Amino acid sequence: MLSSTWNFIKRHKRKFIFAGVFVGGVYLLGKYAQRKIQEMQEREAAEYITQARRQFHFESNQRTCNMTVLSMLPTLREAIIHHLNSESITALLKTKPANKLEIWEDLKIISFTRSIVAVYSTCMLVVLLRVQLNIIGGYLYLDNSVTKNGTAPLAPPDVQQQYLSSIQHLLGEGLIELITVVKKAVLEVLGPVSLKQSLSLQELEQQLTQIRQLVEEGCASSKHKSLSWYMMPDEENTLASQACGLTENDVTTIKLLNETRDMLESPDFTTVLRTCLSRGFIRFLDNMSEFFRPPQGDSNPSSTPDQLSHVSLPLAKIIPIINGQIHSICSEIPSHFAQDLLLIDQVKEFAANVYETFSTPQELQK
C-alpha cells in the first residue's frame, strides 16, 4: 500500500509541487494583504486623529478670534470718539451760542462720519483679526505638531506679540486716514442737505450708498486705492525699512506681515470684506428703522418696508439718532452688530482656508 501511494505521488509530483507552491503563495499573499490592510488602517487612524486634532485647534482658534474682536471693540469705539467728539459739540449747543446753525452743521457731519467710520472699522477689525489669528494659529499648530521634531518654532512668543501689535495701525494712522476720507465723502453728499429736510429710511439708505461709493471707489480723492491700507501700512513702512540691525525675530515678523498683506490684497479677501460691509450697513439701517416706525395710534402695529418708506424725519431729528449708533455698533456685550459679522458664512470659510494654508507643512504644499 505504501508503494502504491508512493507511486501515485511520483506520477503526480508536478501537481503536488504546483499545489504546494499555490497554497504557500496564497498563504503569503494573505499575510501580505493582512499586513497592508493593517498598515492602511493604522495610517487612516493616524490621519483621522491628526485631522481631529487640527479641527479642534481650529475651532478653539475661532473662539479666540471672536473673543479678541469683542474685547477690542471698546478700544476702537474710544479711538473713534476721541477723533470725532460730538459730545463736546452737543454740550456747546446747550449753551445757546449765536452761531447755533453753524454748530448744528458741524454736528451733522461729525455724527454721520463717526457712525459710518464705526461700521467700516468694525468690519475691518473682524476680517483682519480673522486673518492674523488664523495665520498665527496655523503656525502654532505646526509648532505643537509631533512632526516638528524639535526644530526652532515658526512663531515664538516674541514674534507673535510683535506681529499682532500691527493691529495698532487700524486703531491709529489707518483710522485717522479713514476718518479723513469718510468725512470728505459725508461733506460732499450731506453738506448741501438742509437740517429741515425730511428723509425717509429709504432716502437715508440712498445717502449712505452715495457715501460708500465715494469712499470705496476712490472718488473721495483718497491717496490709497485699496481699503486694505487702513488695516496694514505699505510695505516700506514696516520693519523692512530698517536697513540693518534686524534680529531673527524681526525677519520672521516681516515674513508674517508680508504673508498677511498678500492675504489682504487677494480677491477672496476683498469679497469677504465687501460682504461684511454690506451686512454691516444693513444692520446699521435695521437699527435706524426702529425710529422710522409709524405712530403707535396706527391700526397695524407691524411696520412693513413699504410703510417705513412713508415715514420721514427731519434731518435735525435724525442726527442725534445717528450720533448714538456708535455705542450699538462698537458694543462688546451684547453686540448684535459684531456677532452678525462673525457669523457670516463667507467669513468662516475664508478663515478656514487661511488656517488650512498655514497649518499644512510646506513639504505637503509642494
Side-chain angles (χ1 to χ4, degrees):
M1 182 164 181
L2 287 174
S3 61
S4 62
T5 301
W6 177 248
N7 290 333
F8 176 80
I9 292 173
K10 285 172 63 177
R11 284 198 308 270
H12 300 281
K13 179 173 65 175
R14 290 186 177 181
K15 293 180 180 178
F16 278 108
I17 293 173
F18 176 78
V21 171
F22 177 77
V23 172
V26 169
Y27 174 77
L28 292 174
L29 185 62
K31 280 290 190 180
Y32 176 80
Q34 186 179 13
R35 187 170 68 254
K36 285 297 179 183
I37 290 173
Q38 184 178 357
E39 290 176 358
M40 184 175 65
Q41 290 174 337
E42 290 174 351
R43 186 167 58 252
E44 288 178 350
E47 290 175 356
Y48 175 80
I49 292 171
T50 299
Q51 189 62 33
R53 184 186 297 118
R54 184 155 66 167
Q55 182 64 27
F56 176 80
H57 188 263
F58 169 74
E59 292 172 355
S60 175
N61 199 51
Q62 301 325 294
R63 289 191 292 272
T64 300
C65 286
N66 294 344
M67 290 187 292
T68 304
V69 168
L70 296 177
S71 69
M72 291 194 68
L73 286 176
T75 304
L76 176 62
R77 181 179 66 239
E78 294 307 314
I80 296 172
I81 291 175
H82 172 74
H83 294 293
L84 296 165
N85 190 350
S86 61
E87 283 74 18
S88 61
I89 298 178
T90 303
L92 184 60
L93 282 172
K94 292 179 180 179
T95 65
K96 298 180 180 181
N99 58 340
K100 184 177 180 180
L101 182 60
E102 181 183 343
I103 295 174
W104 262 103
E105 288 292 335
D106 289 342
L107 182 62
K108 174 181 71 175
I109 300 304
I110 288 180
S111 297
F112 273 89
T113 299
R114 81 174 191 173
S115 287
I116 293 170
V117 166
V119 174
Y120 271 108
S121 55
T122 300
C123 291
M124 291 176 181
L125 182 69
V126 168
V127 291
L128 176 57
L129 283 174
R130 269 287 191 270
V131 171
Q132 286 191 310
L133 291 178
N134 277 292
I135 289 177
I136 283 291
Y139 280 132
L140 287 178
Y141 173 79
L142 291 178
D143 284 340
N144 295 327
S145 173
V146 293
T147 60
K148 284 292 292 176
N149 295 324
T151 57
L154 297 168
D158 288 347
V159 168
Q160 295 175 43
Q161 184 176 0
Q162 193 173 21
Y163 168 64
L164 293 175
S165 68
S166 64
I167 194 73
Q168 293 302 318
H169 177 77
L170 174 59
L171 302 175
E173 290 183 41
L175 182 64
I176 293 171
E177 182 64 25
L178 179 62
I179 288 172
T180 302
V181 172
V182 172
K183 188 174 183 180
K184 184 179 180 68
V186 170
L187 270 169
E188 184 171 335
V189 175
L190 292 173
V193 181
S194 169
L195 294 168
K196 296 179 180 179
Q197 181 174 333
S198 291
L199 297 174
S200 67
L201 188 64
Q202 187 175 13
E203 289 169 333
L204 180 61
E205 182 180 7
Q206 292 169 355
Q207 301 286 337
L208 290 173
T209 299
Q210 290 181 47
I211 294 169
R212 283 192 63 187
Q213 288 174 345
L214 290 173
V215 172
E216 295 172 34
E217 295 176 8
C219 297
S221 302
S222 170
K223 63 182 179 180
H224 306 293
K225 296 181 180 179
S226 173
L227 290 175
S228 65
W229 184 90
Y230 303 113
M231 293 171 271
M232 181 163 285
D234 296 330
E235 190 168 355
E236 59 267 21
N237 293 332
T238 66
L239 288 169
S241 62
Q242 302 175 16
C244 59
L246 294 177
T247 66
E248 185 177 347
N249 282 351
D250 290 337
V251 173
T252 303
T253 303
I254 291 171
K255 176 176 177 289
L256 288 173
L257 291 173
N258 288 336
E259 289 171 337
T260 304
R261 190 174 292 104
D262 289 342
M263 283 288 176
L264 300 190
E265 293 173 355
S266 69
D268 287 344
F269 178 85
T270 301
T271 300
V272 170
L273 178 57
R274 291 193 181 279
T275 300
C276 282
L277 289 172
S278 296
R279 182 71 61 86
F281 279 101
I282 288 172
R283 165 59 72 173
F284 175 60
L285 285 167
D286 284 345
N287 292 346
M288 291 297 299
S289 69
E290 297 297 323
F291 301 91
F292 283 83
R293 299 195 178 280
Q296 293 183 352
D298 286 8
S299 56
N300 186 5
S302 62
S303 301
T304 65
D306 185 61
Q307 287 176 313
L308 291 177
S309 66
H310 290 89
V311 178
S312 298
L313 293 175
L315 184 56
K317 287 190 176 181
I318 295 175
I319 290 172
I321 302 170
I322 287 282
N323 188 52
Q325 287 302 305
I326 189 172
H327 298 287
S328 172
I329 295 168
C330 297
S331 171
E332 67 278 21
I333 300 174
S335 179
H336 298 297
F337 187 92
Q339 292 197 11
D340 272 3
L341 301 180
L342 295 171
L343 294 175
I344 294 175
D345 288 338
Q346 290 92 326
V347 173
K348 294 179 179 180
E349 291 169 7
F350 185 70
N353 290 337
V354 173
Y355 183 85
E356 178 74 19
T357 299
F358 290 94
S359 65
T360 302
Q362 290 186 357
E363 60 267 19
L364 296 182
Q365 296 181 16
K366 295 178 182 179

